[in-house]
Amino acid sequence: CLADDMGLGKTMQLLALLIRRFEEAPRDERPALLVAPMSVVGNWEREIRQFAPTLSLVPHYGPERTRAAADFPKQNGTLVVTTYGLLRRDAELLAGVDWSLVALDEAQNIKNAASATARAARALAASHRFALTGTPVENRLAELWSILEFANPGLLGPLERFRREFAVPIERYGNEDAAARLR
């Protein structure tokens, strides 16, 4: 989970990681998936073309997008870019692909663990998962649980236990011991 402030290089860190992974595992032909808000997809595409031109960029949006899991390119260095709306709409299709890596930009989009978007993100099969966000917690600690449940499933335990042991004691009672354990 890269939870840095805006402008500190989350995009560059992810692109550098993707290039390195593809160089170090040339036989791994699984594509990587990047999910981002539609408003920043164009920025990602420009950054990829400028700073990571060796990556094969495959847009997954619009009427020409892939409709079958088997039709995603199986070639080292492929990065599929899609939106949160399509992650939700094409959940079954995207969950049917074995991704080498899945990254969520603006991961606060999955802060509600019960939302269809968060469920679709958690259903993605990937060897590596990354959540990029400048705001991992906006209102409630359960938002942090949701993001980390995507990035590292099971790390914070079940949501109800997390609420009982951390969220309620910290948010309602200011329990410093619970906050220290969570940190």
Side-chain angles (χ1 to χ4, degrees), residues 148-166:
L148 289 179
E149 184 64 15
F150 161 78
N152 195 346
L155 176 69
L156 297 176
L159 180 56
E160 285 312 310
R161 187 177 89 203
F162 178 81
R163 282 187 175 134
R164 184 177 62 250
E165 293 181 10
F166 296 107

Side-chain angles (χ1 to χ4, degrees), residues 11-12 15 19 42-55 57:
T11 300
M12 291 300 116
L15 291 177
I19 292 168
N43 295 343
W44 270 101
E45 290 177 346
R46 279 189 298 282
E47 300 279 320
I48 292 163
R49 286 188 192 103
Q50 182 175 358
F51 298 110
T54 58
L55 297 179
L57 178 62

Side-chain angles (χ1 to χ4, degrees), residues 96-109:
V97 177
D98 182 18
W99 303 101
S100 63
L101 180 147
V102 172
L104 305 182
D105 186 28
E106 302 295 338
Q108 65 273 13
N109 280 281

Side-chain angles (χ1 to χ4, degrees), residues 48-175:
I48 292 163
R49 286 188 192 103
Q50 182 175 358
F51 298 110
T54 58
L55 297 179
S56 174
L57 178 62
V58 176
H60 181 73
Y61 52 84
E64 303 299 318
R65 72 183 184 273
T66 300
R67 303 292 177 168
D71 293 339
F72 282 102
K74 291 176 184 50
Q75 172 187 344
N76 182 278
T78 298
L79 176 60
V80 176
V81 177
T82 195
T83 67
Y84 282 99
L86 284 172
L87 171 63
R88 195 173 46 253
R89 190 174 313 140
D90 291 353
E92 188 176 333
L93 167 68
L94 296 171
V97 177
D98 182 18
W99 303 101
S100 63
L101 180 147
V102 172
L104 305 182
D105 186 28
E106 302 295 338
Q108 65 273 13
N109 280 281
I110 64 162
K111 68 183 182 178
N112 178 351
S115 71
T117 304
R119 289 192 316 267
R122 290 192 305 268
L124 297 169
S127 299
H128 297 82
R129 296 165 172 249
F130 289 85
L132 287 63
T133 179
T135 52
V137 178
E138 292 178 299
N139 300 303
R140 302 270 182 252
L141 284 175
E143 298 170 4
L144 177 65
W145 181 91
S146 186
I147 292 170
L148 289 179
E149 184 64 15
F150 161 78
N152 195 346
L155 176 69
L156 297 176
L159 180 56
E160 285 312 310
R161 187 177 89 203
F162 178 81
R163 282 187 175 134
R164 184 177 62 250
E165 293 181 10
F166 296 107
V168 170
I170 294 168
E171 292 171 352
R172 196 171 293 165
Y173 304 111
N175 186 313

Side-chain angles (χ1 to χ4, degrees), residues 2-34:
L2 298 176
D4 293 335
D5 288 333
M6 193 169 104
L8 293 181
K10 294 183 296 286
T11 300
M12 291 300 116
Q13 290 178 61
L14 182 66
L15 291 177
L17 172 77
L18 285 167
I19 292 168
R20 184 168 181 165
R21 279 195 43 75
F22 289 135
E23 288 173 350
E24 290 179 350
R27 289 188 173 91
D28 186 353
E29 296 183 344
R30 297 175 300 161
L33 176 67
L34 170 68

